[in-house]
Amino acid sequence: MAGDVEKRIAWLRGEIRKHDHLYYVLSAPQIADQQYDALFAELKQLEAEHPKLVTPDSPTQRVSGQPLEGFATVRHAVPMLSMDNTYNADELKAFDERVRKQLDTTDYDYVVELKIDGLAVSLRYENGVLVSGATRGDGEVGDDVTSNIRTIKAIPLSLLAGDGRVPAVLEARGEVYMPTSLFVELNRARTEAGEAPFANPRNAAAGSLKLLDARITASRSLSFFAYAPGDVSESLGDDHYHTLEHFQALGLPVNPHIVRAGDIDEVIATCLSWSQKRLDLDYQIDGMVVKVNRFDQRDILGATGRAPRWCIAYKFPAERAATVIESIDVQVGKSGILTPVANLVPVQLSGTTVKRASLHNFDEMQRLNVRIGDTLLIEKAGEIIPKVLEVKRDQRPEGAEPFVVPQTCPVCESPVVKDEAGVHIRCPNPHCLGQLKERLRYFAGRGQMDIERLGTSLIDQLVDNGLVKNFADLYRLTIEDLTALERMGDKSARNVLDGIEVSKTRPLWRFLTALGIRHVGSQSAQILSAHLGSLEALRAAEPEELEAIDQIGPVMAESIAAYFRNPRYQVLVDDLLAVGVRPQAEARRQGGGTLAGKTIVVTGSLEHFTRQQVQQAIKTAGGKASSSVSKKTDFVLAGEDPGSKLDRARQLGIKVINEQQFEEILSGEDRSGD
Ligand code: IVH
């Protein structure tokens, strides 16, 4: 009887492996999903009844339909380095000069490749069999995404023997990407299903590879190109070009557009030619990669920090697009500055839809001579707000009138004034509701008092209904006030009030930032709060006292002192204290801050800080922000979706804190050691 079970299990495994191969590798399924599922279910059932018969290579133990709980981490045998960038021919020439100087010869050549815009992974084959696939992570340690990697049909599960030379260990590095046509298809399906579309193919590929359910990854049609060896037990060639040929012979997919270039002029010509040709590809590239071909010469060149000296990326210029201005709005900022904003015919640019572009100020607008109906050339580099490059004068529709610079504020109709520098025009009315709304938005914003659920439209309602005329009024709102508003139920109203209540005890620096004093951002607010220790001290400080603080200049010092001398703001701050706002004072610091001498690694995303802000906050408090976890790390600050650094911290027994604890440490009330 037991023998029968063993036989049946062996047969089921054989069948499942065969159908996996037919489906994933050969793309030629022979049975329906239902039949496959039945085989699988039977195997799982038998293994559950006979746990001793489970083997690690059983199909139930690899991909299958079992979502993982999380990814294990993998330490790369050879670190995955990053690359320096160049943006034009001169920078490429300068790179070549450095190479020539260091090699002290002109006898070298380059390989020029497409820079695939996806996600770097490292595949490890042992004795020809794929044993693991990992993301780049921080270059040292990545996530083990083997089960997802296995679903990528372009990646062979075992290498071809070819001429018989299959190395004992072969790591192939390359890029997982999503073909553009399939990305468009995926987004169409997601939108139809009411799911949020991905911003671009790179995000879609990264999101798909990091899914815990490999079956979903399998449905996402990812693909792969190998472009570099990692850890190898034996050389595959003396140079890069021949190594890639060897890759191909082993069945690994290598991009067909890789070329050798004898000198930098050839390199430049190749790079430039692709800035147009790339539009014909069914995958996205964000530049080119130029690599010194010979490995012995690479050894001479070595690496600086995290990037090799033998390789450089050439990034294509930022994407540009032409579109038409439908209308121009004038926005009132929190200090009264009026900004013209163009509403555009929506246009796709670097993977996002652009509908608006700031025209910065009226001087700039007049310089560009922008009119409604004009065709503009806009540019977007990375995440930056689109920039107007040029107005196509020859495409101006007949009768397009010049935009008239407003003489009055679009909200309160006060006559505008020019600011001191003469660049901006401002609404001078301190009671302007447009300014008030912007000030409230800033006050409640994430980097400041962080009042949850107090969003743009609620602020508009509160101001328009006369319920809030200043910051302190927020703290006087009642449940009745809120439920009387449109679209506001009892539960939502309570949540809003809870959010407001919680904000009463934010750290002093947040409160200080939230007031919106001219020239005082969160960074200066942290310095001020660390040095002065209390709101009282700050209110009483003379400009000279403030200026004596490191990194506080005379302009800021005067602006702060003027703010607290102004009777209007004195009343406002007193009023905030009266309604129960109690900014949490910082402990006075010795030795330069609450994080003096500490090394901190941040992983995952934080609610109250961007990456830059948290690094600044660490620095301001006297600490050092480091990017990799080592024994020297004092603690790891883990946010949402922490990466492999968290696992590494746990391996090394390093203290891990959350965002709230971090804020407590910053404000000198650390209780994490209790
Ligand atoms: S070589 C030492 N070749 O670009 C550098 N990288 O910005 C080894 N990439 O993390 C990488 N296409 O993800 C190389 N043909 C190519 C590439 C490529 C895309 C990515 C890779 C790397 C990133 C650096």
Side-chain angles (χ1 to χ4, degrees):
M1 187 67 197
D4 286 351
V5 171
E6 265 173 72
K7 264 195 206 150
R8 182 74 184 161
I9 286 181
W11 180 81
L12 286 167
R13 285 180 187 159
E15 281 297 287
I16 292 166
R17 284 198 190 107
K18 183 177 90 188
H19 291 296
D20 272 347
H21 184 255
L22 282 165
Y23 183 84
Y24 291 124
V25 183
L26 304 178
S27 308
Q30 283 180 355
I31 56 171
D33 284 0
Q34 261 173 332
Q35 285 170 282
Y36 178 91
D37 291 346
L39 294 172
F40 208 91
E42 188 185 345
L43 178 61
K44 265 177 85 174
Q45 174 71 29
L46 286 177
E47 286 183 347
E49 286 165 10
H50 305 274
K52 281 201 186 123
L53 298 180
V54 177
T55 57
D57 67 340
S58 168
T60 59
Q61 308 298 304
R62 40 164 225 175
V63 190
S64 83
Q66 310 289 12
L68 301 172
E69 298 223 323
F71 295 118
T73 53
V74 178
R75 175 160 287 275
H76 300 299
V78 175
M80 293 180 77
L81 301 179
S82 51
M83 261 186 278
D84 288 332
N85 292 325
T86 58
Y87 298 91
N88 54 47
D90 285 346
E91 289 175 7
L92 281 171
K93 281 196 172 141
F95 162 74
D96 180 56
E97 296 263 322
R98 295 195 294 274
V99 169
R100 190 171 349 121
K101 241 193 195 154
Q102 221 189 326
L103 292 180
D104 200 21
T105 173
T106 51
D107 183 18
Y108 56 90
D109 64 341
Y110 291 110
V111 173
V112 186
E113 303 175 5
L114 306 185
K115 189 168 184 303
I116 316 291
D117 199 7
L119 182 78
V121 297
S122 184
L123 311 180
R124 189 174 174 90
Y125 290 87
E126 288 177 8
N127 300 316
V129 177
L130 177 68
V131 293
S132 91
T135 61
R136 178 174 181 274
D138 63 3
E140 305 271 341
V141 177
D143 284 331
D144 180 347
V145 289
T146 312
S147 53
N148 290 341
I149 287 286
R150 295 178 78 106
T151 70
I152 300 175
K153 289 171 202 157
I155 296 178
L157 296 178
S158 46
L159 297 174
L160 299 177
D163 59 1
R165 280 210 304 148
V166 174
V169 174
L170 166 64
E171 269 183 17
R173 268 97 196 251
E175 201 84 352
V176 167
Y177 66 93
M178 184 175 287
T180 316
S181 53
L182 297 172
F183 161 75
V184 171
E185 181 56 30
L186 173 66
N187 266 359
R188 198 190 50 73
R190 284 176 76 87
T191 313
E192 263 174 26
E195 292 171 83
F198 286 107
N200 52 48
R202 175 169 28 88
N203 287 4
S208 303
L209 197 66
K210 290 182 178 167
L211 288 167
L212 293 169
D213 189 341
R215 291 209 157 193
I216 306 178
T217 310
S219 73
R220 293 280 172 87
S221 307
L222 296 173
S223 199
F224 175 78
F225 285 123
Y227 52 60
D231 187 22
V232 283
S233 55
E234 62 192 77
S235 164
L236 303 180
D238 295 335
D239 65 30
H240 184 64
Y241 197 80
H242 288 101
T243 303
L244 293 184
E245 278 186 345
H246 202 140
F247 270 9
Q248 228 163 351
L250 291 168
L252 288 162
V254 173
N255 187 277
H257 302 294
I258 291 171
V259 293
R260 269 184 291 193
D263 60 33
I264 198 68
D265 290 331
E266 249 185 87
V267 167
I268 292 168
T270 309
C271 288
L272 298 182
S273 76
W274 275 102
S275 104
Q276 261 310 305
K277 282 196 285 182
R278 66 175 160 148
L279 302 173
D280 301 329
L281 297 168
D282 191 29
Y283 44 87
Q284 305 229 316
I285 61 174
D286 60 337
M288 305 293 287
V289 184
V290 181
K291 302 171 178 177
V292 170
N293 191 19
R294 272 168 50 184
F295 291 148
D296 59 337
Q297 292 181 324
R298 288 187 180 186
D299 289 342
I300 297 171
L301 291 163
T304 56
R306 303 181 68 78
R309 285 200 201 85
W310 45 261
C311 145
I312 200 100
Y314 165 77
K315 300 288 276 279
F316 295 127
E319 258 189 73
R320 294 171 175 194
T323 184
V324 173
I325 299 197
E326 286 187 319
S327 59
I328 295 174
D329 288 340
V330 176
Q331 286 186 343
V332 190
K334 68 184 196 305
S335 59
I337 289 175
L338 303 190
T339 307
V341 177
N343 293 311
L344 308 169
V345 173
V347 62
Q348 280 294 116
L349 196 55
S350 307
T352 56
T353 308
V354 177
K355 295 188 199 122
R356 284 158 76 79
S358 170
L359 297 168
H360 305 292
N361 58 61
F362 294 96
D363 275 5
E364 169 76 359
M365 221 182 118
Q366 278 172 332
R367 191 187 64 76
L368 286 165
N369 190 1
V370 183
R371 300 183 184 184
I372 294 168
D374 270 345
T375 299
L376 299 179
L377 194 62
I378 58 173
E379 174 183 282
K380 196 166 158 224
E383 306 295 317
I384 308 163
I385 316 163
K387 188 175 156 196
V388 178
L389 293 176
E390 158 187 342
V391 177
K392 302 256 183 208
R393 295 291 294 277
D394 51 340
Q395 292 178 34
R396 172 166 294 167
E398 247 179 73
E401 297 283 335
F403 186 76
V404 183
V405 177
Q407 298 301 304
T408 56
C409 168
V411 179
C412 71
E413 294 177 359
S414 304
V416 299
V417 294
K418 273 247 169 201
D419 75 348
E420 307 98 81
V423 176
H424 297 289
I425 55 173
R426 293 182 53 232
C427 160
N429 173 14
H431 305 289
C432 168
L433 297 188
Q435 290 183 46
L436 174 62
K437 286 177 182 175
E438 289 305 314
R439 279 200 295 272
L440 286 166
R441 266 169 212 143
Y442 185 74
F443 182 84
R446 279 192 155 201
Q448 296 73 245
M449 297 298 262
D450 192 20
I451 307 181
E452 260 185 67
R453 291 165 216 267
L454 188 57
T456 302
S457 55
L458 179 55
I459 288 175
D460 285 348
Q461 279 180 296
L462 292 172
V463 172
D464 292 341
N465 285 292
L467 289 167
V468 172
K469 296 193 171 64
N470 58 45
F471 299 149
D473 284 344
L474 290 173
Y475 297 90
R476 282 188 276 263
L477 287 171
T478 64
I479 192 91
E480 292 77 26
D481 289 338
L482 291 175
T483 46
L485 296 174
E486 252 175 68
R487 295 188 306 275
M488 177 69 75
D490 200 59
K491 187 148 183 272
S492 311
R494 271 180 210 290
N495 285 337
V496 172
L497 289 183
D498 286 350
I500 293 174
E501 183 63 29
V502 169
S503 76
K504 283 182 177 171
T505 52
R506 294 275 184 246
L508 176 60
W509 68 266
R510 282 181 168 274
F511 175 78
L512 198 53
T513 315
L515 291 177
I517 303 170
R518 260 186 116 183
H519 307 296
V520 181
S522 67
Q523 200 180 315
S524 332
Q526 288 176 50
I527 296 170
L528 289 162
S529 129
H531 277 269
L532 294 163
S534 72
L535 182 58
E536 294 67 43
L538 199 65
R539 293 184 84 175
E542 294 293 332
E544 300 72 42
E545 199 183 329
L546 296 167
E547 213 187 311
I549 300 171
D550 188 27
Q551 297 181 65
I552 305 294
V555 176
M556 199 194 305
E558 184 45 47
S559 168
I560 297 162
Y563 182 93
F564 288 115
R565 269 198 313 262
N566 185 329
R568 222 175 94 85
Y569 298 129
Q570 285 179 2
V571 171
L572 174 70
V573 174
D574 284 340
D575 202 10
L576 279 164
L577 293 172
V579 292
V581 176
R582 289 281 170 272
Q584 297 299 294
E586 311 266 316
R588 274 196 185 266
R589 285 168 191 174
Q590 306 266 308
T594 48
L595 293 174
K598 299 267 194 265
T599 301
I600 295 111
V601 174
V602 184
T603 177
S605 56
L606 303 174
E607 219 183 312
H608 301 141
F609 301 83
T610 62
R611 251 316 129 101
Q612 222 181 353
Q613 284 168 342
V614 75
Q615 279 168 2
Q616 189 54 52
I618 292 170
K619 226 168 96 190
T620 306
K624 185 172 157 248
S626 165
S627 59
S628 62
V629 180
S630 74
K631 283 192 192 125
K632 289 191 196 137
T633 310
D634 290 289
F635 53 83
V636 169
L637 164 57
E640 278 278 297
D641 290 330
S644 56
K645 291 173 196 174
L646 179 59
D647 302 293
R648 175 118 177 94
R650 294 204 169 119
Q651 275 164 19
L652 294 176
I654 285 159
K655 182 165 157 184
V656 177
I657 59 164
N658 62 26
E659 187 170 350
Q660 194 188 339
Q661 289 168 319
F662 175 71
E663 287 183 328
E664 283 166 3
I665 295 174
L666 275 189
S667 62
E669 338 143 24
D670 177 23
R671 286 185 296 268
S672 65
D674 292 357

